[in-house]
Amino acid sequence: MHASLHFTTTNTPPSSSTLPKNSIQITRSPTTQITCKIFINPSKKTLPQKTQKPLWPNTKPLLPQVNPIKPNIHQPRLNPLQKLAASLLNTIETSLIEPLEKKQSLPKTIDPAVQISGNFSPVRECPVQYGLEVVGQIPDCLRGVYVRNGANPMFAPAGGHHLFDGDGMIHALTLGSANRASYSCRYTRTSRLEQEVKMGRSIFPKPIGELHGHSGLARLCLFMARAAVGLVDCSRGTGVANAGLVYFNGRLLAMSEDDLPYNVKIKGDGDLETIGRFDFNGGLDRPMIAHPKVDPVTGELYVLSYDVVKKPYLKYFKFGASGTKSRDVDITLDQPTMVHDFAITQNYVVIPDQQVVFKLSEMIKGGSPVIYNPNKTSRFGILPKNDVDESGIQWIDVPNCFCFHLCNAWEETSEVGDPIIIVIGSCMDPPDSVFNEHENNPIRAELTEMRMNLRTRESSRRVLVPGLNLEVGQVNKEVVGRKSKYVYMAIAEPWPKCSGIAKVDLETGSVTKHLYGTGRFGGEPFYVPKRKNDSMGNHVEEDDDGFIMGFVRDEVDESSELVILKASSMKQVGLVRLPARVPYGFHGTFISEQDLKEQA
């Protein structure tokens, strides 16, 4: 789950260096605070000091580190003019901007003391650790690697910080035969991270945490001035790659909505290596949202990309199974809208245009540029997958609907023969609660079915599980875009912590829960099909004939684990004890042994 502002500028490439060897030295002012929060937030109590090993100075890595990868950025030495500009801009930052930021009272949504605390505090990289303890049994079909993305800020923020702002870190758990398991975690070496490592501090503006009010405008102007004189390089992207993960055409891609994806390779020993920013061999020249969709039948990858500054604010495109990109389809929107997720059916792309929008002018008033627009009517655009322009899109109003994540969608036919689009998503209220504080209005995130009639353009909504906060859901990936019977949701109770997993029968509305236990919390569940064949060799499977996995943190005994459930019974069949703390994070995926052999 992730969303952010992004912008572009051009400049002369700056100088380069290597990442620090063996350890990461980080500077932090004594007054700096740190925080973290969102769908899977820490509890209001802080963890014991033993658990809260910060990443800042005078601390040791949780585990020894191997030599990090060297940056790909080659930076020439600064000329006298650049040195003078750097000194002047640094003075402006320390004497004008930082004092202005310290005077501001930060809302909880961007207060570092809330946002990077407890199990949201950052951890250091961990080289591969073998021979992990396994309790129970790792099912035979789980041969491969479970990878999960998340935000893990390397440097202490100077001002506000939102969880979405942190540097991307991938946690990888390799599952082998005979109950063998190994673990590692690595930063995704984005251009942004490499440049900040060279400078020894945070230098790129935090799109959500810092870009608030007048100090946010000042931060933005400062950064653009540094870029203009060649002190930082924006030409290679400014993103953090901390949200989504997708395995497509032999590549694991790490994504955030402010940049192109990054290709991360899973090495033979289970370690991770950032190959670099991936533009699909020259086919991609703009950011893509963190939730692209792979059609399980055709193998095609469907993508949206939004812009918060210039029209068209939204584009749709797809990649063939071999990675060949289609032409862009411009989608007309009246205002820049957050489109964090979308859905596909067998024949259509389902595009949400909802009430959370970007309004940069709010910064001048001292507010957040991400706002809820109550005067806008939420709607969904139904576009044929293979259309080359937007002329065939049908917009259907679904009032007062904001779904941060969509679980699945499919096509049906009504009793009178009308074509119907069914969308399953988690409807959130207040819609902007992830970005703006609502102290007296508790958040609700309820699993909801939306039905849209393509003939009459009428819609209806039905809450499937009333009164229970359910978020970041998964269906069997082999039925994405087709009718699914079950969806597996994180139970965000007490909000925003995730205390378990709910298996929801979409036909009956019945719920089967697996609760982690007192003081134990997790995140997004991931479903892996068992894959079995009938007598003719054809693949057959029920929606729940597989396994669910996810990382869990025990905040009482300060341990991290991977839990494995049998989906049909929602009972735990296996558990892997991890050698290091795994912070709460965002989205993940599972890559089979066979797919690993076919990495590009």
Side-chain angles (χ1 to χ4, degrees), residues 341-372:
D341 200 358
F342 72 112
I344 61 172
T345 69
Q346 184 174 353
N347 297 294
Y348 297 98
V349 178
V350 182
I351 302 170
D353 176 23
Q354 301 175 122
Q355 294 169 292
V356 176
V357 301
F358 297 100
K359 192 173 182 180
L360 303 186
S361 61
E362 289 296 309
M363 294 174 65
I364 300 174
K365 303 176 184 178
S368 168
V370 184
I371 67 168
Y372 164 59

mmCIF file of all heavy atoms in Angstrom, residues 341-372:
data_model
loop_
_atom_site.group_PDB
_atom_site.id
_atom_site.type_symbol
_atom_site.label_atom_id
_atom_site.label_comp_id
_atom_site.label_asym_id
_atom_site.label_seq_id
_atom_site.Cartn_x
_atom_site.Cartn_y
_atom_site.Cartn_z
ATOM 1 N N ASP A 341 -4.804 1.468 -6.852
ATOM 2 C CA ASP A 341 -5.058 0.095 -7.272
ATOM 3 C C ASP A 341 -6.150 0.103 -8.331
ATOM 4 O O ASP A 341 -6.856 1.102 -8.518
ATOM 5 C CB ASP A 341 -5.479 -0.747 -6.064
ATOM 6 C CG ASP A 341 -5.298 -2.244 -6.288
ATOM 7 O OD1 ASP A 341 -4.886 -2.649 -7.392
ATOM 8 O OD2 ASP A 341 -5.592 -3.016 -5.355
ATOM 9 N N PHE A 342 -6.302 -0.993 -9.035
ATOM 10 C CA PHE A 342 -7.376 -1.146 -10.024
ATOM 11 C C PHE A 342 -7.637 -2.635 -10.170
ATOM 12 O O PHE A 342 -7.111 -3.446 -9.390
ATOM 13 C CB PHE A 342 -6.995 -0.490 -11.357
ATOM 14 C CG PHE A 342 -5.925 -1.217 -12.142
ATOM 15 C CD1 PHE A 342 -6.228 -1.845 -13.343
ATOM 16 C CD2 PHE A 342 -4.606 -1.260 -11.700
ATOM 17 C CE1 PHE A 342 -5.252 -2.508 -14.068
ATOM 18 C CE2 PHE A 342 -3.625 -1.909 -12.421
ATOM 19 C CZ PHE A 342 -3.942 -2.543 -13.608
ATOM 20 N N ALA A 343 -8.448 -3.027 -11.119
ATOM 21 C CA ALA A 343 -8.783 -4.440 -11.290
ATOM 22 C C ALA A 343 -8.907 -4.766 -12.770
ATOM 23 O O ALA A 343 -9.051 -3.871 -13.613
ATOM 24 C CB ALA A 343 -10.089 -4.779 -10.557
ATOM 25 N N ILE A 344 -8.838 -6.047 -13.073
ATOM 26 C CA ILE A 344 -9.095 -6.525 -14.426
ATOM 27 C C ILE A 344 -10.144 -7.624 -14.364
ATOM 28 O O ILE A 344 -10.312 -8.290 -13.342
ATOM 29 C CB ILE A 344 -7.823 -7.064 -15.118
ATOM 30 C CG1 ILE A 344 -7.235 -8.258 -14.338
ATOM 31 C CG2 ILE A 344 -6.780 -5.962 -15.294
ATOM 32 C CD1 ILE A 344 -6.095 -8.971 -15.051
ATOM 33 N N THR A 345 -10.871 -7.784 -15.478
ATOM 34 C CA THR A 345 -11.734 -8.940 -15.669
ATOM 35 C C THR A 345 -11.227 -9.665 -16.911
ATOM 36 O O THR A 345 -10.166 -9.333 -17.445
ATOM 37 C CB THR A 345 -13.205 -8.526 -15.854
ATOM 38 O OG1 THR A 345 -13.347 -7.856 -17.116
ATOM 39 C CG2 THR A 345 -13.659 -7.597 -14.729
ATOM 40 N N GLN A 346 -11.980 -10.618 -17.389
ATOM 41 C CA GLN A 346 -11.545 -11.349 -18.568
ATOM 42 C C GLN A 346 -11.410 -10.432 -19.784
ATOM 43 O O GLN A 346 -10.486 -10.583 -20.588
ATOM 44 C CB GLN A 346 -12.536 -12.471 -18.885
ATOM 45 C CG GLN A 346 -12.118 -13.353 -20.061
ATOM 46 C CD GLN A 346 -13.051 -14.537 -20.241
ATOM 47 O OE1 GLN A 346 -13.937 -14.771 -19.421
ATOM 48 N NE2 GLN A 346 -12.855 -15.287 -21.309
ATOM 49 N N ASN A 347 -12.295 -9.417 -19.882
ATOM 50 C CA ASN A 347 -12.302 -8.566 -21.073
ATOM 51 C C ASN A 347 -12.083 -7.089 -20.798
ATOM 52 O O ASN A 347 -11.888 -6.320 -21.740
ATOM 53 C CB ASN A 347 -13.642 -8.721 -21.810
ATOM 54 C CG ASN A 347 -13.867 -10.134 -22.312
ATOM 55 O OD1 ASN A 347 -13.158 -10.608 -23.191
ATOM 56 N ND2 ASN A 347 -14.852 -10.817 -21.734
ATOM 57 N N TYR A 348 -12.072 -6.685 -19.521
ATOM 58 C CA TYR A 348 -12.055 -5.256 -19.212
ATOM 59 C C TYR A 348 -10.972 -4.909 -18.185
ATOM 60 O O TYR A 348 -10.521 -5.750 -17.399
ATOM 61 C CB TYR A 348 -13.408 -4.800 -18.651
ATOM 62 C CG TYR A 348 -14.557 -4.954 -19.609
ATOM 63 C CD1 TYR A 348 -15.407 -6.062 -19.532
ATOM 64 C CD2 TYR A 348 -14.816 -3.999 -20.593
ATOM 65 C CE1 TYR A 348 -16.477 -6.211 -20.400
ATOM 66 C CE2 TYR A 348 -15.888 -4.141 -21.473
ATOM 67 C CZ TYR A 348 -16.702 -5.249 -21.365
ATOM 68 O OH TYR A 348 -17.763 -5.391 -22.237
ATOM 69 N N VAL A 349 -10.627 -3.627 -18.197
ATOM 70 C CA VAL A 349 -9.854 -3.016 -17.127
ATOM 71 C C VAL A 349 -10.823 -2.146 -16.332
ATOM 72 O O VAL A 349 -11.600 -1.381 -16.912
ATOM 73 C CB VAL A 349 -8.701 -2.154 -17.692
ATOM 74 C CG1 VAL A 349 -7.941 -1.479 -16.562
ATOM 75 C CG2 VAL A 349 -7.766 -3.001 -18.523
ATOM 76 N N VAL A 350 -10.788 -2.262 -14.999
ATOM 77 C CA VAL A 350 -11.704 -1.523 -14.128
ATOM 78 C C VAL A 350 -10.892 -0.446 -13.416
ATOM 79 O O VAL A 350 -10.030 -0.753 -12.590
ATOM 80 C CB VAL A 350 -12.393 -2.450 -13.114
ATOM 81 C CG1 VAL A 350 -13.366 -1.670 -12.249
ATOM 82 C CG2 VAL A 350 -13.101 -3.600 -13.837
ATOM 83 N N ILE A 351 -11.175 0.831 -13.741
ATOM 84 C CA ILE A 351 -10.340 1.952 -13.303
ATOM 85 C C ILE A 351 -11.115 2.810 -12.308
ATOM 86 O O ILE A 351 -12.134 3.419 -12.659
ATOM 87 C CB ILE A 351 -9.919 2.805 -14.516
ATOM 88 C CG1 ILE A 351 -9.167 1.943 -15.532
ATOM 89 C CG2 ILE A 351 -9.071 3.987 -14.066
ATOM 90 C CD1 ILE A 351 -8.927 2.642 -16.859
ATOM 91 N N PRO A 352 -10.659 2.909 -11.063
ATOM 92 C CA PRO A 352 -11.350 3.769 -10.095
ATOM 93 C C PRO A 352 -10.970 5.234 -10.257
ATOM 94 O O PRO A 352 -9.806 5.569 -10.489
ATOM 95 C CB PRO A 352 -10.872 3.230 -8.745
ATOM 96 C CG PRO A 352 -9.536 2.638 -9.023
ATOM 97 C CD PRO A 352 -9.570 2.147 -10.449
ATOM 98 N N ASP A 353 -11.955 6.104 -10.165
ATOM 99 C CA ASP A 353 -11.740 7.561 -10.128
ATOM 100 C C ASP A 353 -12.513 8.040 -8.904
ATOM 101 O O ASP A 353 -13.703 8.335 -8.987
ATOM 102 C CB ASP A 353 -12.244 8.210 -11.415
ATOM 103 C CG ASP A 353 -12.130 9.726 -11.393
ATOM 104 O OD1 ASP A 353 -11.288 10.243 -10.621
ATOM 105 O OD2 ASP A 353 -12.885 10.395 -12.127
ATOM 106 N N GLN A 354 -11.811 8.121 -7.762
ATOM 107 C CA GLN A 354 -12.480 8.298 -6.482
ATOM 108 C C GLN A 354 -12.226 9.687 -5.893
ATOM 109 O O GLN A 354 -11.750 10.582 -6.577
ATOM 110 C CB GLN A 354 -12.038 7.170 -5.546
ATOM 111 C CG GLN A 354 -12.377 5.795 -6.133
ATOM 112 C CD GLN A 354 -11.849 4.636 -5.317
ATOM 113 O OE1 GLN A 354 -12.597 3.780 -4.878
ATOM 114 N NE2 GLN A 354 -10.549 4.596 -5.102
ATOM 115 N N GLN A 355 -12.556 9.856 -4.632
ATOM 116 C CA GLN A 355 -12.648 11.189 -4.038
ATOM 117 C C GLN A 355 -11.366 11.676 -3.365
ATOM 118 O O GLN A 355 -11.349 12.793 -2.855
ATOM 119 C CB GLN A 355 -13.798 11.213 -3.016
ATOM 120 C CG GLN A 355 -15.165 11.026 -3.666
ATOM 121 C CD GLN A 355 -16.242 10.778 -2.635
ATOM 122 O OE1 GLN A 355 -16.265 9.735 -1.981
ATOM 123 N NE2 GLN A 355 -17.132 11.742 -2.457
ATOM 124 N N VAL A 356 -10.327 10.876 -3.334
ATOM 125 C CA VAL A 356 -9.037 11.340 -2.817
ATOM 126 C C VAL A 356 -8.219 11.850 -3.999
ATOM 127 O O VAL A 356 -7.902 11.101 -4.928
ATOM 128 C CB VAL A 356 -8.292 10.231 -2.066
ATOM 129 C CG1 VAL A 356 -6.902 10.717 -1.632
ATOM 130 C CG2 VAL A 356 -9.088 9.800 -0.841
ATOM 131 N N VAL A 357 -7.905 13.139 -3.959
ATOM 132 C CA VAL A 357 -7.266 13.804 -5.095
ATOM 133 C C VAL A 357 -6.034 14.560 -4.621
ATOM 134 O O VAL A 357 -5.792 14.742 -3.428
ATOM 135 C CB VAL A 357 -8.249 14.767 -5.807
ATOM 136 C CG1 VAL A 357 -9.465 14.021 -6.305
ATOM 137 C CG2 VAL A 357 -8.656 15.899 -4.860
ATOM 138 N N PHE A 358 -5.257 15.010 -5.594
ATOM 139 C CA PHE A 358 -4.086 15.833 -5.317
ATOM 140 C C PHE A 358 -4.415 17.287 -5.642
ATOM 141 O O PHE A 358 -4.887 17.600 -6.743
ATOM 142 C CB PHE A 358 -2.901 15.383 -6.163
ATOM 143 C CG PHE A 358 -2.449 13.979 -5.867
ATOM 144 C CD1 PHE A 358 -2.832 12.931 -6.683
ATOM 145 C CD2 PHE A 358 -1.652 13.713 -4.771
ATOM 146 C CE1 PHE A 358 -2.419 11.636 -6.412
ATOM 147 C CE2 PHE A 358 -1.232 12.428 -4.493
ATOM 148 C CZ PHE A 358 -1.616 11.382 -5.317
ATOM 149 N N LYS A 359 -4.178 18.154 -4.706
ATOM 150 C CA LYS A 359 -4.400 19.585 -4.901
ATOM 151 C C LYS A 359 -3.199 20.319 -4.323
ATOM 152 O O LYS A 359 -3.134 20.610 -3.127
ATOM 153 C CB LYS A 359 -5.701 20.022 -4.227
ATOM 154 C CG LYS A 359 -6.152 21.428 -4.620
ATOM 155 C CD LYS A 359 -7.528 21.743 -4.053
ATOM 156 C CE LYS A 359 -7.995 23.133 -4.480
ATOM 157 N NZ LYS A 359 -9.336 23.440 -3.923
ATOM 158 N N LEU A 360 -2.233 20.605 -5.188
ATOM 159 C CA LEU A 360 -0.968 21.168 -4.738
ATOM 160 C C LEU A 360 -1.147 22.546 -4.113
ATOM 161 O O LEU A 360 -0.335 22.958 -3.275
ATOM 162 C CB LEU A 360 0.014 21.237 -5.912
ATOM 163 C CG LEU A 360 0.306 19.899 -6.620
ATOM 164 C CD1 LEU A 360 1.398 20.077 -7.654
ATOM 165 C CD2 LEU A 360 0.691 18.820 -5.624
ATOM 166 N N SER A 361 -2.205 23.253 -4.489
ATOM 167 C CA SER A 361 -2.427 24.582 -3.928
ATOM 168 C C SER A 361 -2.699 24.535 -2.423
ATOM 169 O O SER A 361 -2.563 25.549 -1.730
ATOM 170 C CB SER A 361 -3.593 25.274 -4.646
ATOM 171 O OG SER A 361 -4.790 24.536 -4.482
ATOM 172 N N GLU A 362 -3.077 23.372 -1.892
ATOM 173 C CA GLU A 362 -3.314 23.253 -0.455
ATOM 174 C C GLU A 362 -2.035 23.484 0.345
ATOM 175 O O GLU A 362 -2.083 23.871 1.512
ATOM 176 C CB GLU A 362 -3.890 21.875 -0.128
ATOM 177 C CG GLU A 362 -5.322 21.653 -0.585
ATOM 178 C CD GLU A 362 -6.302 22.576 0.125
ATOM 179 O OE1 GLU A 362 -6.258 22.633 1.367
ATOM 180 O OE2 GLU A 362 -7.109 23.221 -0.565
ATOM 181 N N MET A 363 -0.887 23.251 -0.281
ATOM 182 C CA MET A 363 0.372 23.477 0.414
ATOM 183 C C MET A 363 0.541 24.956 0.763
ATOM 184 O O MET A 363 1.106 25.307 1.801
ATOM 185 C CB MET A 363 1.537 22.994 -0.440
ATOM 186 C CG MET A 363 1.558 21.485 -0.651
ATOM 187 S SD MET A 363 2.853 20.960 -1.806
ATOM 188 C CE MET A 363 4.319 21.432 -0.885
ATOM 189 N N ILE A 364 0.053 25.827 -0.129
ATOM 190 C CA ILE A 364 0.160 27.269 0.124
ATOM 191 C C ILE A 364 -0.657 27.652 1.357
ATOM 192 O O ILE A 364 -0.302 28.561 2.107
ATOM 193 C CB ILE A 364 -0.317 28.055 -1.113
ATOM 194 C CG1 ILE A 364 0.555 27.688 -2.328
ATOM 195 C CG2 ILE A 364 -0.275 29.558 -0.861
ATOM 196 C CD1 ILE A 364 0.084 28.305 -3.620
ATOM 197 N N LYS A 365 -1.749 26.911 1.603
ATOM 198 C CA LYS A 365 -2.600 27.176 2.761
ATOM 199 C C LYS A 365 -2.078 26.498 4.025
ATOM 200 O O LYS A 365 -2.689 26.598 5.077
ATOM 201 C CB LYS A 365 -4.017 26.690 2.478
ATOM 202 C CG LYS A 365 -4.658 27.304 1.230
ATOM 203 C CD LYS A 365 -6.033 26.684 0.981
ATOM 204 C CE LYS A 365 -6.658 27.204 -0.293
ATOM 205 N NZ LYS A 365 -7.984 26.565 -0.555
ATOM 206 N N GLY A 366 -0.968 25.772 3.885
ATOM 207 C CA GLY A 366 -0.389 25.105 5.042
ATOM 208 C C GLY A 366 -0.834 23.675 5.226
ATOM 209 O O GLY A 366 -0.546 23.066 6.255
ATOM 210 N N GLY A 367 -1.537 23.113 4.256
ATOM 211 C CA GLY A 367 -2.074 21.774 4.404
ATOM 212 C C GLY A 367 -1.370 20.733 3.563
ATOM 213 O O GLY A 367 -0.330 20.985 2.955
ATOM 214 N N SER A 368 -1.979 19.541 3.530
ATOM 215 C CA SER A 368 -1.460 18.432 2.738
ATOM 216 C C SER A 368 -1.986 18.536 1.311
ATOM 217 O O SER A 368 -3.138 18.910 1.093
ATOM 218 C CB SER A 368 -1.900 17.100 3.344
ATOM 219 O OG SER A 368 -1.655 16.035 2.450
ATOM 220 N N PRO A 369 -1.161 18.190 0.313
ATOM 221 C CA PRO A 369 -1.636 18.201 -1.067
ATOM 222 C C PRO A 369 -2.516 17.000 -1.406
ATOM 223 O O PRO A 369 -3.076 16.932 -2.491
ATOM 224 C CB PRO A 369 -0.337 18.169 -1.884
ATOM 225 C CG PRO A 369 0.639 17.474 -1.000
ATOM 226 C CD PRO A 369 0.279 17.864 0.407
ATOM 227 N N VAL A 370 -2.655 16.040 -0.472
ATOM 228 C CA VAL A 370 -3.537 14.891 -0.667
ATOM 229 C C VAL A 370 -4.806 15.141 0.145
ATOM 230 O O VAL A 370 -4.768 15.190 1.373
ATOM 231 C CB VAL A 370 -2.861 13.586 -0.207
ATOM 232 C CG1 VAL A 370 -3.759 12.396 -0.512
ATOM 233 C CG2 VAL A 370 -1.501 13.416 -0.862
ATOM 234 N N ILE A 371 -5.929 15.322 -0.538
ATOM 235 C CA ILE A 371 -7.155 15.721 0.154
ATOM 236 C C ILE A 371 -8.346 14.870 -0.277
ATOM 237 O O ILE A 371 -8.326 14.216 -1.328
ATOM 238 C CB ILE A 371 -7.486 17.213 -0.092
ATOM 239 C CG1 ILE A 371 -7.843 17.441 -1.567
ATOM 240 C CG2 ILE A 371 -6.336 18.107 0.332
ATOM 241 C CD1 ILE A 371 -8.453 18.798 -1.827
ATOM 242 N N TYR A 372 -9.375 14.916 0.539
ATOM 243 C CA TYR A 372 -10.665 14.311 0.221
ATOM 244 C C TYR A 372 -11.572 15.388 -0.350
ATOM 245 O O TYR A 372 -11.775 16.439 0.262
ATOM 246 C CB TYR A 372 -11.262 13.708 1.489
ATOM 247 C CG TYR A 372 -12.736 13.385 1.410
ATOM 248 C CD1 TYR A 372 -13.233 12.506 0.452
ATOM 249 C CD2 TYR A 372 -13.632 13.938 2.324
ATOM 250 C CE1 TYR A 372 -14.576 12.210 0.393
ATOM 251 C CE2 TYR A 372 -14.982 13.632 2.282
ATOM 252 C CZ TYR A 372 -15.449 12.771 1.312
ATOM 253 O OH TYR A 372 -16.782 12.466 1.256
#
